[in-house]
Amino acid sequence: MGRVPNVTRADAVAAVRNPLAFIAERWTPTRRTVQRAALYPLVMSVVIVVTGGAVRLTGSGLGCPTWPKCTDDSLTATGAMGFHGAIEFGNRMLTYVLCAAVGWAIIAARSEKPYRRSLTRLGWAQFWLVMSNAVLGGIVVLVGLNPYTVAAHFLAATALLAVAAVMWQRAREGDGEPRPLVGKPVQQLVWFLVVASTLLIAVGTVVTGAGPHAGDSSEVERMPLDWETIAKLHAVLAWIVVTLTFALWFILKAVDAPKNPLDRTRDLFLVLLGQGVIGYVQYFTDLPEALVGLHMFGSCLVWIAVLRVLLALRERPETTIDLPGPAAEVTVGTRA
């Protein structure tokens, strides 16, 4: 075991002033470590969406009736609050796990050599999204699960999923200029797919806000809309997304597109089929809680799969910096 270096007063001051720079000067993670660190927030973002759904589906939305404390007198759930208090407080605690995952991703990205500012910024974007959504989650409790704030809470979680998915992808590619792998018409079709998927998710939150699962056993305000009509609109949008995906797959095959866009489109199509089956079964079986929770998990997978299709339309090569020799100059090139 090697000798542990002494930490000087200057080191301690530097660590306090800029802990990320202090760590980056003394640690260089492998590319694989950075990739795994970027994956953890994505996984935790899905987990917290699913557990948030469990809070609503078990009627535990007001298990902790206030925020940031669980009750006026206790920071944590108490035994007297029972099952609902434990569920709601447990979901709150998962926010700290998510924060830890995002923090680890930021540290790994900041310490990678050469320094990749774009990757670090994606980590910080996730941090601020987590913080703002935690505050929004507190507002949801304070206003008694108002359905509009619940919808905004879910959409903010969806935005976090998007940034996490982009960071995970960027961690596995270089910082060179993006090279398109398909033509402009295909890119435009994929953007139509992204917009349709965004509308699908947004209308899904309206279905939730007007539907029977209010999130608590007490009287909770619902959106003044006909639930079945909104659910049918949601189904129409789902079919539009499926149709666009199938059209994209057909076009990519016709133009002999590279393997990566084809594979990602196939993955999206399979996820959509599974999500569609769950959606129709839950509709015709009066929305059993287990299937609704599974549908929320599927919503996360659909959104991630859509973003992976979008990101697969280009490649970003490595950017290398050649260190100068005795009479050489620094050159910046791009690997083929």
Side-chain angles (χ1 to χ4, degrees):
M1 182 175 177
R3 179 174 173 270
V4 177
N6 293 326
V7 178
T8 65
R9 182 177 180 181
D11 290 335
V13 171
V16 171
R17 286 181 176 176
N18 194 333
L20 288 178
F22 180 80
I23 295 171
E25 288 174 2
R26 290 158 177 79
W27 178 54
T28 301
T30 64
R31 173 60 69 88
R32 187 172 182 82
T33 297
V34 176
Q35 292 170 3
R36 287 179 174 175
L39 177 61
Y40 296 150
L42 180 60
V43 172
M44 276 308 304
S45 297
V46 175
V47 169
I48 206 162
V49 167
V50 174
T51 57
V55 170
R56 180 170 63 85
L57 294 169
T58 58
S60 305
L62 296 177
C64 287
T66 188
W67 186 88
K69 291 183 176 181
C70 192
T71 69
D72 291 333
D73 303 318
S74 175
L75 182 64
T76 64
T78 63
M81 301 172 70
F83 171 77
H84 295 305
I87 292 292
E88 163 65 3
F89 186 72
N91 185 61
R92 292 188 184 189
M93 290 299 98
L94 281 177
T95 302
Y96 294 100
V97 180
L98 175 58
C99 285
V102 171
W104 175 238
I106 293 172
I107 292 171
R110 177 64 180 83
S111 301
E112 188 177 14
K113 310 296 188 301
Y115 172 51
R116 301 177 62 187
R117 184 181 299 274
S118 61
L119 200 61
T120 307
R121 284 177 174 174
L122 287 168
W124 279 111
Q126 290 182 71
F127 173 79
W128 291 116
L129 279 169
V130 171
M131 292 297 101
S132 60
N133 207 21
V135 173
L136 182 54
I139 293 173
V140 169
V141 172
L142 295 176
V143 298
L145 306 183
N146 178 281
Y148 298 99
T149 61
V150 173
H153 192 44
F154 183 82
L155 291 176
T158 304
L160 175 61
L161 274 172
V163 179
V166 172
M167 184 177 182
W168 180 47
Q169 175 64 30
R170 293 289 289 112
R172 295 182 296 153
E173 55 189 18
D175 277 335
E177 286 296 317
R179 298 172 178 171
L181 299 176
V182 296
K184 281 284 186 182
V186 176
Q187 295 177 38
Q188 291 171 349
L189 176 60
V190 172
W191 276 112
F192 278 123
L193 175 62
V194 172
V195 171
S197 301
T198 303
L199 289 174
L200 175 65
I201 293 171
V203 173
T205 65
V206 178
V207 175
T208 298
H213 295 296
D216 192 75
S217 55
S218 61
E219 189 68 26
V220 175
E221 178 187 358
R222 312 306 294 143
M223 292 182 181
L225 300 168
D226 181 66
W227 173 80
E228 291 197 0
T229 300
I230 301 299
K232 290 174 182 177
L233 174 60
H234 184 63
V236 170
L237 286 168
W239 277 110
I240 291 174
V241 171
V242 170
T243 302
L244 288 172
T245 303
F246 184 77
L248 175 63
W249 179 83
F250 182 82
I251 292 171
L252 289 173
K253 290 287 285 185
V255 300
D256 196 23
K259 184 174 185 296
N260 196 34
L262 267 171
D263 288 348
R264 299 292 77 79
T265 304
R266 176 206 60 203
D267 295 345
L268 172 59
F269 189 72
L270 293 175
V271 172
L272 285 169
L273 288 181
Q275 179 74 334
V277 169
I278 295 169
Y280 275 107
V281 171
Q282 71 169 4
Y283 179 81
F284 289 112
T285 55
D286 297 324
L287 301 180
E289 287 81 358
L291 284 182
V292 174
L294 193 59
H295 196 61
M296 292 184 69
F297 174 65
S299 175
C300 295
L301 295 186
V302 167
W303 184 230
I304 293 171
V306 168
L307 293 171
R308 293 190 75 196
V309 170
L310 178 65
L311 295 170
L313 301 184
R314 87 286 186 277
E315 61 180 1
R316 299 187 69 137
E318 300 284 353
T319 298
T320 60
I321 300 179
D322 299 325
L323 296 177
E329 295 181 353
V330 175
T331 59
V332 179
T334 303
R335 266 192 287 185

